[in-house]
PDB file of all heavy atoms in Angstrom:
ATOM      1  N   ALA F   3       4.760   1.264  23.930  1.00 88.00           N
ATOM      2  CA  ALA F   3       4.402   1.984  25.057  1.00 88.00           C
ATOM      3  C   ALA F   3       5.269   3.312  25.254  1.00 88.00           C
ATOM      4  O   ALA F   3       4.949   4.179  25.998  1.00 88.00           O
ATOM      5  CB  ALA F   3       4.630   1.160  26.373  1.00 88.00           C
ATOM      6  N   GLY F   4       6.347   3.348  24.429  1.00 86.00           N
ATOM      7  CA  GLY F   4       7.214   4.558  24.515  1.00 86.00           C
ATOM      8  C   GLY F   4       7.909   4.649  25.954  1.00 86.00           C
ATOM      9  O   GLY F   4       7.899   3.782  26.735  1.00 86.00           O
ATOM     10  N   ARG F   5       8.624   5.787  26.017  1.00 75.00           N
ATOM     11  CA  ARG F   5       9.139   6.014  27.318  1.00 75.00           C
ATOM     12  C   ARG F   5       8.337   7.063  28.094  1.00 75.00           C
ATOM     13  O   ARG F   5       7.394   7.540  27.552  1.00 75.00           O
ATOM     14  CB  ARG F   5      10.668   6.619  27.209  1.00 75.00           C
ATOM     15  CG  ARG F   5      10.760   7.911  26.342  1.00 75.00           C
ATOM     16  CD  ARG F   5      12.132   8.372  26.256  1.00 75.00           C
ATOM     17  NE  ARG F   5      12.202   9.464  25.430  1.00 75.00           N
ATOM     18  CZ  ARG F   5      12.053  10.778  25.766  1.00 75.00           C
ATOM     19  NH1 ARG F   5      11.742  11.081  27.110  1.00 75.00           N
ATOM     20  NH2 ARG F   5      12.201  11.810  25.000  1.00 75.00           N
ATOM     21  N   SER F   6       8.706   7.191  29.294  1.00 58.00           N
ATOM     22  CA  SER F   6       7.946   8.128  30.173  1.00 58.00           C
ATOM     23  C   SER F   6       7.802   9.506  29.637  1.00 58.00           C
ATOM     24  O   SER F   6       8.723  10.165  29.201  1.00 58.00           O
ATOM     25  CB  SER F   6       8.462   8.206  31.599  1.00 58.00           C
ATOM     26  OG  SER F   6       7.817   9.150  32.340  1.00 58.00           O
ATOM     27  N   GLY F   7       6.582  10.008  29.406  1.00 55.00           N
ATOM     28  CA  GLY F   7       6.288  11.331  28.953  1.00 55.00           C
ATOM     29  C   GLY F   7       6.141  11.500  27.492  1.00 55.00           C
ATOM     30  O   GLY F   7       5.944  12.595  26.947  1.00 55.00           O
ATOM     31  N   THR F   8       6.250  10.303  26.705  1.00 63.00           N
ATOM     32  CA  THR F   8       6.027  10.483  25.296  1.00 63.00           C
ATOM     33  C   THR F   8       4.748   9.677  24.896  1.00 63.00           C
ATOM     34  O   THR F   8       4.318   8.766  25.545  1.00 63.00           O
ATOM     35  CB  THR F   8       7.144   9.783  24.571  1.00 63.00           C
ATOM     36  OG1 THR F   8       7.161   8.306  24.772  1.00 63.00           O
ATOM     37  CG2 THR F   8       8.551  10.415  24.965  1.00 63.00           C
ATOM     38  N   ALA F   9       4.065  10.308  23.845  1.00 65.00           N
ATOM     39  CA  ALA F   9       2.820   9.676  23.430  1.00 65.00           C
ATOM     40  C   ALA F   9       3.174   8.857  22.138  1.00 65.00           C
ATOM     41  O   ALA F   9       3.950   9.424  21.166  1.00 65.00           O
ATOM     42  CB  ALA F   9       1.844  10.741  23.095  1.00 65.00           C
ATOM     43  N   ASN F  10       2.686   7.588  21.955  1.00 83.00           N
ATOM     44  CA  ASN F  10       2.892   6.891  20.775  1.00 83.00           C
ATOM     45  C   ASN F  10       1.550   6.504  20.082  1.00 83.00           C
ATOM     46  O   ASN F  10       0.505   6.771  20.658  1.00 83.00           O
ATOM     47  CB  ASN F  10       3.621   5.521  21.095  1.00 83.00           C
ATOM     48  CG  ASN F  10       5.005   5.824  21.447  1.00 83.00           C
ATOM     49  OD1 ASN F  10       5.823   5.944  20.606  1.00 83.00           O
ATOM     50  ND2 ASN F  10       5.318   5.901  22.781  1.00 83.00           N
ATOM     51  N   MET F  11       1.577   6.158  18.893  1.00 93.00           N
ATOM     52  CA  MET F  11       0.410   5.902  18.069  1.00 93.00           C
ATOM     53  C   MET F  11      -0.302   4.612  18.419  1.00 93.00           C
ATOM     54  O   MET F  11       0.259   3.593  18.628  1.00 93.00           O
ATOM     55  CB  MET F  11       0.799   5.912  16.607  1.00 93.00           C
ATOM     56  CG  MET F  11       1.363   7.254  16.086  1.00 93.00           C
ATOM     57  SD  MET F  11       0.250   8.563  16.297  1.00 93.00           S
ATOM     58  CE  MET F  11      -1.243   8.052  15.289  1.00 93.00           C
ATOM     59  N   PRO F  12      -1.605   4.772  18.604  1.00 95.00           N
ATOM     60  CA  PRO F  12      -2.420   3.534  18.889  1.00 95.00           C
ATOM     61  C   PRO F  12      -2.487   2.667  17.697  1.00 95.00           C
ATOM     62  O   PRO F  12      -2.199   3.072  16.571  1.00 95.00           O
ATOM     63  CB  PRO F  12      -3.759   4.041  19.297  1.00 95.00           C
ATOM     64  CG  PRO F  12      -3.837   5.395  18.548  1.00 95.00           C
ATOM     65  CD  PRO F  12      -2.454   5.934  18.550  1.00 95.00           C
ATOM     66  N   LEU F  13      -2.864   1.430  17.867  1.00 96.00           N
ATOM     67  CA  LEU F  13      -3.086   0.337  16.811  1.00 96.00           C
ATOM     68  C   LEU F  13      -4.387   0.590  16.049  1.00 96.00           C
ATOM     69  O   LEU F  13      -5.481   0.996  16.660  1.00 96.00           O
ATOM     70  CB  LEU F  13      -2.884  -0.958  17.344  1.00 96.00           C
ATOM     71  CG  LEU F  13      -1.683  -1.301  18.142  1.00 96.00           C
ATOM     72  CD1 LEU F  13      -1.683  -2.674  18.550  1.00 96.00           C
ATOM     73  CD2 LEU F  13      -0.392  -1.047  17.268  1.00 96.00           C
ATOM     74  N   GLN F  14      -4.402   0.429  14.838  1.00 96.00           N
ATOM     75  CA  GLN F  14      -5.633   0.478  14.053  1.00 96.00           C
ATOM     76  C   GLN F  14      -6.220  -0.909  13.842  1.00 96.00           C
ATOM     77  O   GLN F  14      -7.435  -1.200  14.184  1.00 96.00           O
ATOM     78  CB  GLN F  14      -5.469   1.022  12.674  1.00 96.00           C
ATOM     79  CG  GLN F  14      -6.781   1.264  11.942  1.00 96.00           C
ATOM     80  CD  GLN F  14      -6.614   1.719  10.530  1.00 96.00           C
ATOM     81  OE1 GLN F  14      -5.847   1.030   9.675  1.00 96.00           O
ATOM     82  NE2 GLN F  14      -7.170   2.876  10.123  1.00 96.00           N
ATOM     83  N   LYS F  15      -5.519  -1.916  13.326  1.00 97.00           N
ATOM     84  CA  LYS F  15      -5.960  -3.226  13.027  1.00 97.00           C
ATOM     85  C   LYS F  15      -4.864  -4.204  12.914  1.00 97.00           C
ATOM     86  O   LYS F  15      -3.783  -3.955  12.672  1.00 97.00           O
ATOM     87  CB  LYS F  15      -6.856  -3.152  11.781  1.00 97.00           C
ATOM     88  CG  LYS F  15      -6.140  -2.851  10.540  1.00 97.00           C
ATOM     89  CD  LYS F  15      -7.170  -2.864   9.306  1.00 97.00           C
ATOM     90  CE  LYS F  15      -6.552  -2.396   8.071  1.00 97.00           C
ATOM     91  NZ  LYS F  15      -7.529  -2.480   6.892  1.00 97.00           N
ATOM     92  N   ILE F  16      -5.344  -5.519  12.853  1.00 98.00           N
ATOM     93  CA  ILE F  16      -4.457  -6.646  12.611  1.00 98.00           C
ATOM     94  C   ILE F  16      -4.977  -7.454  11.380  1.00 98.00           C
ATOM     95  O   ILE F  16      -6.171  -7.700  11.232  1.00 98.00           O
ATOM     96  CB  ILE F  16      -4.343  -7.628  13.808  1.00 98.00           C
ATOM     97  CG1 ILE F  16      -3.661  -6.839  15.035  1.00 98.00           C
ATOM     98  CG2 ILE F  16      -3.509  -8.804  13.433  1.00 98.00           C
ATOM     99  CD1 ILE F  16      -3.632  -7.747  16.308  1.00 98.00           C
ATOM    100  N   GLN F  17      -4.059  -7.725  10.506  1.00 98.00           N
ATOM    101  CA  GLN F  17      -4.431  -8.572   9.314  1.00 98.00           C
ATOM    102  C   GLN F  17      -3.559  -9.897   9.417  1.00 98.00           C
ATOM    103  O   GLN F  17      -2.497  -9.951   9.915  1.00 98.00           O
ATOM    104  CB  GLN F  17      -4.212  -7.840   8.023  1.00 98.00           C
ATOM    105  CG  GLN F  17      -4.965  -6.599   7.861  1.00 98.00           C
ATOM    106  CD  GLN F  17      -4.548  -5.793   6.681  1.00 98.00           C
ATOM    107  OE1 GLN F  17      -3.314  -5.601   6.374  1.00 98.00           O
ATOM    108  NE2 GLN F  17      -5.461  -5.342   5.923  1.00 98.00           N
ATOM    109  N   ILE F  18      -4.155 -10.895   8.725  1.00 98.00           N
ATOM    110  CA  ILE F  18      -3.386 -12.136   8.374  1.00 98.00           C
ATOM    111  C   ILE F  18      -3.325 -12.285   6.861  1.00 98.00           C
ATOM    112  O   ILE F  18      -4.320 -12.156   6.122  1.00 98.00           O
ATOM    113  CB  ILE F  18      -4.015 -13.369   8.990  1.00 98.00           C
ATOM    114  CG1 ILE F  18      -3.744 -13.369  10.520  1.00 98.00           C
ATOM    115  CG2 ILE F  18      -3.356 -14.612   8.444  1.00 98.00           C
ATOM    116  CD1 ILE F  18      -4.450 -14.575  11.274  1.00 98.00           C
ATOM    117  N   ILE F  19      -2.147 -12.370   6.343  1.00 98.00           N
ATOM    118  CA  ILE F  19      -1.862 -12.602   4.884  1.00 98.00           C
ATOM    119  C   ILE F  19      -1.625 -14.167   4.611  1.00 98.00           C
ATOM    120  O   ILE F  19      -0.700 -14.734   5.275  1.00 98.00           O
ATOM    121  CB  ILE F  19      -0.708 -11.755   4.416  1.00 98.00           C
ATOM    122  CG1 ILE F  19      -1.048 -10.225   4.391  1.00 98.00           C
ATOM    123  CG2 ILE F  19      -0.399 -12.172   3.056  1.00 98.00           C
ATOM    124  CD1 ILE F  19      -0.931  -9.575   5.756  1.00 98.00           C
ATOM    125  N   LYS F  20      -2.475 -14.691   3.829  1.00 98.00           N
ATOM    126  CA  LYS F  20      -2.212 -16.004   3.348  1.00 98.00           C
ATOM    127  C   LYS F  20      -1.855 -16.144   1.859  1.00 98.00           C
ATOM    128  O   LYS F  20      -2.274 -15.519   1.020  1.00 98.00           O
ATOM    129  CB  LYS F  20      -3.569 -16.787   3.559  1.00 98.00           C
ATOM    130  CG  LYS F  20      -3.466 -18.308   3.044  1.00 98.00           C
ATOM    131  CD  LYS F  20      -4.779 -19.026   3.055  1.00 98.00           C
ATOM    132  CE  LYS F  20      -4.782 -20.377   2.544  1.00 98.00           C
ATOM    133  NZ  LYS F  20      -6.069 -20.928   2.392  1.00 98.00           N
ATOM    134  N   GLY F  21      -0.788 -16.997   1.673  1.00 97.00           N
ATOM    135  CA  GLY F  21      -0.406 -17.273   0.328  1.00 97.00           C
ATOM    136  C   GLY F  21      -0.337 -18.800   0.158  1.00 97.00           C
ATOM    137  O   GLY F  21       0.020 -19.546   1.153  1.00 97.00           O
ATOM    138  N   SER F  22      -0.822 -19.271  -1.013  1.00 97.00           N
ATOM    139  CA  SER F  22      -0.938 -20.809  -1.192  1.00 97.00           C
ATOM    140  C   SER F  22      -0.631 -21.116  -2.624  1.00 97.00           C
ATOM    141  O   SER F  22      -0.674 -20.334  -3.545  1.00 97.00           O
ATOM    142  CB  SER F  22      -2.251 -21.211  -0.703  1.00 97.00           C
ATOM    143  OG  SER F  22      -3.269 -20.610  -1.469  1.00 97.00           O
ATOM    144  N   ILE F  23      -0.425 -22.419  -2.855  1.00 96.00           N
ATOM    145  CA  ILE F  23      -0.253 -23.061  -4.129  1.00 96.00           C
ATOM    146  C   ILE F  23      -0.930 -24.383  -4.175  1.00 96.00           C
ATOM    147  O   ILE F  23      -0.700 -25.094  -3.251  1.00 96.00           O
ATOM    148  CB  ILE F  23       1.200 -23.050  -4.534  1.00 96.00           C
ATOM    149  CG1 ILE F  23       1.435 -23.564  -6.034  1.00 96.00           C
ATOM    150  CG2 ILE F  23       2.073 -23.784  -3.566  1.00 96.00           C
ATOM    151  CD1 ILE F  23       2.841 -23.423  -6.474  1.00 96.00           C
ATOM    152  N   ASP F  24      -1.684 -24.735  -5.318  1.00 93.00           N
ATOM    153  CA  ASP F  24      -2.354 -26.046  -5.383  1.00 93.00           C
ATOM    154  C   ASP F  24      -1.391 -26.994  -6.134  1.00 93.00           C
ATOM    155  O   ASP F  24      -0.306 -26.599  -6.557  1.00 93.00           O
ATOM    156  CB  ASP F  24      -3.696 -25.815  -5.998  1.00 93.00           C
ATOM    157  CG  ASP F  24      -3.723 -25.348  -7.399  1.00 93.00           C
ATOM    158  OD1 ASP F  24      -2.651 -25.568  -7.979  1.00 93.00           O
ATOM    159  OD2 ASP F  24      -4.778 -24.875  -7.803  1.00 93.00           O
ATOM    160  N   ARG F  25      -1.956 -28.195  -6.279  1.00 90.00           N
ATOM    161  CA  ARG F  25      -1.125 -29.218  -6.884  1.00 90.00           C
ATOM    162  C   ARG F  25      -0.760 -28.928  -8.423  1.00 90.00           C
ATOM    163  O   ARG F  25       0.167 -29.451  -8.991  1.00 90.00           O
ATOM    164  CB  ARG F  25      -1.840 -30.567  -6.848  1.00 90.00           C
ATOM    165  CG  ARG F  25      -1.896 -31.123  -5.437  1.00 90.00           C
ATOM    166  CD  ARG F  25      -2.546 -32.545  -5.390  1.00 90.00           C
ATOM    167  NE  ARG F  25      -2.363 -33.052  -4.083  1.00 90.00           N
ATOM    168  CZ  ARG F  25      -2.921 -34.348  -3.835  1.00 90.00           C
ATOM    169  NH1 ARG F  25      -3.517 -35.034  -4.681  1.00 90.00           N
ATOM    170  NH2 ARG F  25      -2.713 -34.902  -2.624  1.00 90.00           N
ATOM    171  N   GLU F  26      -1.692 -28.069  -9.068  1.00 91.00           N
ATOM    172  CA  GLU F  26      -1.422 -27.800 -10.419  1.00 91.00           C
ATOM    173  C   GLU F  26      -0.530 -26.498 -10.493  1.00 91.00           C
ATOM    174  O   GLU F  26      -0.133 -26.067 -11.611  1.00 91.00           O
ATOM    175  CB  GLU F  26      -2.723 -27.388 -11.049  1.00 91.00           C
ATOM    176  CG  GLU F  26      -3.617 -28.529 -11.447  1.00 91.00           C
ATOM    177  CD  GLU F  26      -4.129 -29.160 -10.142  1.00 91.00           C
ATOM    178  OE1 GLU F  26      -4.691 -28.455  -9.339  1.00 91.00           O
ATOM    179  OE2 GLU F  26      -4.128 -30.498  -9.952  1.00 91.00           O
ATOM    180  N   GLY F  27       0.015 -25.943  -9.465  1.00 90.00           N
ATOM    181  CA  GLY F  27       0.960 -24.921  -9.449  1.00 90.00           C
ATOM    182  C   GLY F  27       0.258 -23.509  -9.501  1.00 90.00           C
ATOM    183  O   GLY F  27       0.928 -22.546  -9.603  1.00 90.00           O
ATOM    184  N   ASN F  28      -1.039 -23.511  -9.213  1.00 93.00           N
ATOM    185  CA  ASN F  28      -1.801 -22.159  -9.222  1.00 93.00           C
ATOM    186  C   ASN F  28      -1.575 -21.499  -7.935  1.00 93.00           C
ATOM    187  O   ASN F  28      -1.788 -22.153  -6.850  1.00 93.00           O
ATOM    188  CB  ASN F  28      -3.304 -22.373  -9.502  1.00 93.00           C
ATOM    189  CG  ASN F  28      -3.516 -23.003 -10.924  1.00 93.00           C
ATOM    190  OD1 ASN F  28      -2.992 -22.629 -11.876  1.00 93.00           O
ATOM    191  ND2 ASN F  28      -4.217 -24.131 -10.918  1.00 93.00           N
ATOM    192  N   LYS F  29      -1.032 -20.315  -7.971  1.00 93.00           N
ATOM    193  CA  LYS F  29      -0.821 -19.488  -6.720  1.00 93.00           C
ATOM    194  C   LYS F  29      -1.932 -18.669  -6.439  1.00 93.00           C
ATOM    195  O   LYS F  29      -2.607 -17.992  -7.304  1.00 93.00           O
ATOM    196  CB  LYS F  29       0.433 -18.753  -6.892  1.00 93.00           C
ATOM    197  CG  LYS F  29       1.682 -19.571  -7.232  1.00 93.00           C
ATOM    198  CD  LYS F  29       2.963 -18.788  -7.438  1.00 93.00           C
ATOM    199  CE  LYS F  29       4.138 -19.636  -7.839  1.00 93.00           C
ATOM    200  NZ  LYS F  29       5.291 -18.830  -8.148  1.00 93.00           N
ATOM    201  N   SER F  30      -2.145 -18.384  -5.163  1.00 94.00           N
ATOM    202  CA  SER F  30      -3.282 -17.572  -4.687  1.00 94.00           C
ATOM    203  C   SER F  30      -2.803 -16.719  -3.500  1.00 94.00           C
ATOM    204  O   SER F  30      -1.841 -17.153  -2.811  1.00 94.00           O
ATOM    205  CB  SER F  30      -4.594 -18.143  -4.378  1.00 94.00           C
ATOM    206  OG  SER F  30      -4.426 -19.091  -3.404  1.00 94.00           O
ATOM    207  N   GLU F  31      -3.559 -15.603  -3.189  1.00 95.00           N
ATOM    208  CA  GLU F  31      -3.089 -14.735  -2.100  1.00 95.00           C
ATOM    209  C   GLU F  31      -4.385 -14.194  -1.484  1.00 95.00           C
ATOM    210  O   GLU F  31      -5.368 -13.859  -2.201  1.00 95.00           O
ATOM    211  CB  GLU F  31      -2.296 -13.592  -2.550  1.00 95.00           C
ATOM    212  CG  GLU F  31      -1.898 -12.567  -1.552  1.00 95.00           C
ATOM    213  CD  GLU F  31      -0.973 -11.511  -2.176  1.00 95.00           C
ATOM    214  OE1 GLU F  31       0.118 -11.846  -2.640  1.00 95.00           O
ATOM    215  OE2 GLU F  31      -1.420 -10.322  -2.242  1.00 95.00           O
ATOM    216  N   LYS F  32      -4.397 -13.951  -0.179  1.00 96.00           N
ATOM    217  CA  LYS F  32      -5.594 -13.489   0.474  1.00 96.00           C
ATOM    218  C   LYS F  32      -5.200 -12.541   1.694  1.00 96.00           C
ATOM    219  O   LYS F  32      -4.249 -12.995   2.417  1.00 96.00           O
ATOM    220  CB  LYS F  32      -6.550 -14.559   0.874  1.00 96.00           C
ATOM    221  CG  LYS F  32      -7.859 -14.147   1.589  1.00 96.00           C
ATOM    222  CD  LYS F  32      -8.807 -15.295   1.755  1.00 96.00           C
ATOM    223  CE  LYS F  32     -10.183 -14.827   2.193  1.00 96.00           C
ATOM    224  NZ  LYS F  32     -11.090 -15.911   2.583  1.00 96.00           N
ATOM    225  N   VAL F  33      -5.828 -11.523   1.907  1.00 97.00           N
ATOM    226  CA  VAL F  33      -5.474 -10.566   3.073  1.00 97.00           C
ATOM    227  C   VAL F  33      -6.836 -10.498   3.855  1.00 97.00           C
ATOM    228  O   VAL F  33      -7.854 -10.210   3.423  1.00 97.00           O
ATOM    229  CB  VAL F  33      -5.194  -9.158   2.607  1.00 97.00           C
ATOM    230  CG1 VAL F  33      -4.960  -8.243   3.784  1.00 97.00           C
ATOM    231  CG2 VAL F  33      -3.985  -9.172   1.765  1.00 97.00           C
ATOM    232  N   ILE F  34      -6.702 -10.926   5.146  1.00 97.00           N
ATOM    233  CA  ILE F  34      -7.835 -11.104   6.082  1.00 97.00           C
ATOM    234  C   ILE F  34      -7.719  -9.990   7.149  1.00 97.00           C
ATOM    235  O   ILE F  34      -6.682  -9.973   7.892  1.00 97.00           O
ATOM    236  CB  ILE F  34      -7.956 -12.411   6.636  1.00 97.00           C
ATOM    237  CG1 ILE F  34      -8.037 -13.525   5.503  1.00 97.00           C
ATOM    238  CG2 ILE F  34      -9.127 -12.559   7.623  1.00 97.00           C
ATOM    239  CD1 ILE F  34      -6.692 -14.189   5.208  1.00 97.00           C
ATOM    240  N   ASP F  35      -8.708  -9.240   7.363  1.00 96.00           N
ATOM    241  CA  ASP F  35      -8.789  -8.366   8.459  1.00 96.00           C
ATOM    242  C   ASP F  35      -9.400  -9.190   9.607  1.00 96.00           C
ATOM    243  O   ASP F  35     -10.455  -9.589   9.668  1.00 96.00           O
ATOM    244  CB  ASP F  35      -9.735  -7.180   8.172  1.00 96.00           C
ATOM    245  CG  ASP F  35      -9.106  -6.192   7.288  1.00 96.00           C
ATOM    246  OD1 ASP F  35      -7.931  -6.044   7.192  1.00 96.00           O
ATOM    247  OD2 ASP F  35      -9.940  -5.521   6.484  1.00 96.00           O
ATOM    248  N   VAL F  36      -8.462  -9.290  10.637  1.00 97.00           N
ATOM    249  CA  VAL F  36      -8.783 -10.182  11.814  1.00 97.00           C
ATOM    250  C   VAL F  36      -9.532  -9.419  12.911  1.00 97.00           C
ATOM    251  O   VAL F  36     -10.627  -9.874  13.461  1.00 97.00           O
ATOM    252  CB  VAL F  36      -7.559 -10.874  12.395  1.00 97.00           C
ATOM    253  CG1 VAL F  36      -7.797 -11.664  13.674  1.00 97.00           C
ATOM    254  CG2 VAL F  36      -6.915 -11.712  11.377  1.00 97.00           C
ATOM    255  N   ILE F  37      -9.042  -8.219  13.278  1.00 97.00           N
ATOM    256  CA  ILE F  37      -9.603  -7.519  14.360  1.00 97.00           C
ATOM    257  C   ILE F  37      -9.107  -6.100  14.235  1.00 97.00           C
ATOM    258  O   ILE F  37      -8.030  -5.753  13.743  1.00 97.00           O
ATOM    259  CB  ILE F  37      -9.176  -8.002  15.808  1.00 97.00           C
ATOM    260  CG1 ILE F  37     -10.034  -7.360  16.834  1.00 97.00           C
ATOM    261  CG2 ILE F  37      -7.678  -7.910  15.981  1.00 97.00           C
ATOM    262  CD1 ILE F  37      -9.892  -8.119  18.109  1.00 97.00           C
TER     263      ILE F  37
END
């Protein structure tokens, strides 16, 4: 929100980053655009 009299940048988007590993040790990663 800044202080009085200053302009700040609006938001573009929100992401969720998921990292996981299965029982065999295989690792994976995913980036999800939420909104």
Side-chain angles (χ1 to χ4, degrees):
R5 60 181 176 82
S6 178
T8 63
N10 289 277
M11 294 302 298
L13 306 179
Q14 185 189 57
K15 62 180 177 180
I16 297 177
Q17 299 175 312
I18 289 178
I19 289 84
K20 174 187 177 181
S22 61
I23 182 170
D24 63 23
R25 288 183 171 180
E26 287 70 46
N28 299 308
K29 300 175 183 178
S30 64
E31 176 181 296
K32 188 175 183 180
V33 179
I34 303 98
D35 289 330
V36 175
I37 191 169

